[in-house]
Amino acid sequence: QQDYIWTIIEESSSNVDLVLKAEREANLALNEDQKFIIDDKNGYESMLPSPLFSEEFNKRLDGMVEQRMRRAIEAVSSFWYTAWVNAGQPDLSDLK
C-alpha cells in the first residue's frame, strides 16, 4: 500500500512544472480585473480566482484536474476496499 501511495505522490509532484506554467499562461492571458472576484462571507472579504480565470487555467491544464480527481477517487476506494478485506470482510449490511 505504501508503494501505491508514493506512486500517487510522485505522479502529482511530477506535474508541478506543468501546473505552474499553466497558471503563468492563464495570468498572462487575462487582464488584472478579470483574474479575481471579491467574496464577502460573514463580513470578511477575500479575493478568489474568478470563474473566467478558473476556466482559462483549466483549459491550459488540458483535463489534468479531472484526471487527478478520478485518480484520487480510485485511490480512496482502493484504500477502503483494502481496509475491509484486511478486517476480514465483515458484513456491513446492518450499517445505517
Side-chain angles (χ1 to χ4, degrees), residues 6-92:
W6 282 109
T7 297
I8 294 169
I9 292 169
E10 288 170 357
E11 287 172 357
S12 294
S13 65
S14 72
N15 291 319
V16 169
D17 289 340
L18 293 171
V19 171
L20 293 176
K21 181 180 182 228
E23 181 187 25
R24 190 169 38 254
E25 290 174 352
N27 264 313
L28 292 172
L30 300 174
N31 296 326
E32 286 300 315
D33 61 332
Q34 297 175 307
K35 296 178 188 178
F36 297 99
I37 59 170
I38 304 295
D39 185 43
D40 185 358
K41 287 192 179 161
N42 300 325
Y44 295 98
E45 287 187 352
S46 58
M47 291 180 66
L48 299 175
S50 71
L52 184 61
F53 177 81
S54 296
E55 285 177 34
E56 186 69 28
F57 188 26
N58 190 49
K59 179 176 75 175
R60 292 172 187 282
L61 289 173
D62 193 29
M64 184 188 299
V65 173
E66 182 178 350
Q67 181 226 7
R68 298 308 301 158
M69 291 298 288
R70 287 180 182 276
R71 183 78 159 117
I73 292 165
E74 175 189 300
V76 170
S77 63
S78 294
F79 295 143
W80 276 104
Y81 180 73
T82 299
W84 176 73
V85 168
N86 290 348
Q89 301 179 1
D91 181 10
L92 303 177

